[in-house]
Amino acid sequence: YTIYQIVEFVVTNIKGVNKISRFRAENHPDGTYMEMDLVMVYGYPIRALVREIQQKTVEEVEKLTALNIKQFSVTVKSLVVEK
């Protein structure tokens, strides 16, 4: 749950992200594997944002928890239009 809170803090402070729809983290002997599904805002560059989310999230989780993140998969499940 602590990992989720860190991820949520990082992700929700990035413009273009609406919400996290699913998050999963698994510990393995060689490191931690994380998966996340996002709802993003229409009109933002998805690829660049996902890359930024992955980099910032892995950096923060490793710094604050001393866990070794082996894989972090981010999937954009849907887009929303903000008025």
Side-chain angles (χ1 to χ4, degrees):
Y1 184 73
T2 304
I3 296 172
Y4 174 74
Q5 288 178 317
I6 296 167
V7 170
E8 184 180 39
F9 177 78
V10 171
V11 170
T12 54
N13 285 320
I14 295 176
K15 278 197 177 296
V17 177
N18 182 266
K19 68 178 182 175
I20 298 172
S21 60
R22 186 178 74 92
F23 179 79
R24 185 172 166 196
E26 293 180 11
N27 266 332
H28 292 273
D30 60 332
T32 302
Y33 292 75
M34 298 189 309
E35 296 175 13
M36 179 171 63
D37 293 344
L38 291 176
V39 176
M40 297 189 70
V41 179
Y42 178 79
Y44 286 86
I46 293 174
R47 281 185 172 190
L49 270 180
V50 168
R51 217 172 285 120
E52 179 186 351
I53 289 165
Q54 286 175 315
Q55 289 170 348
K56 285 184 176 181
T57 304
V58 167
E59 189 178 290
E60 283 298 308
V61 170
E62 286 182 340
K63 182 172 74 176
L64 295 171
T65 64
L67 291 173
N68 181 26
I69 307 300
K70 285 300 265 186
Q71 180 180 332
F72 183 32
S73 302
V74 177
T75 306
V76 177
K77 285 293 187 178
S78 65
L79 297 172
V80 295
V81 177
E82 286 187 346
K83 294 182 180 182

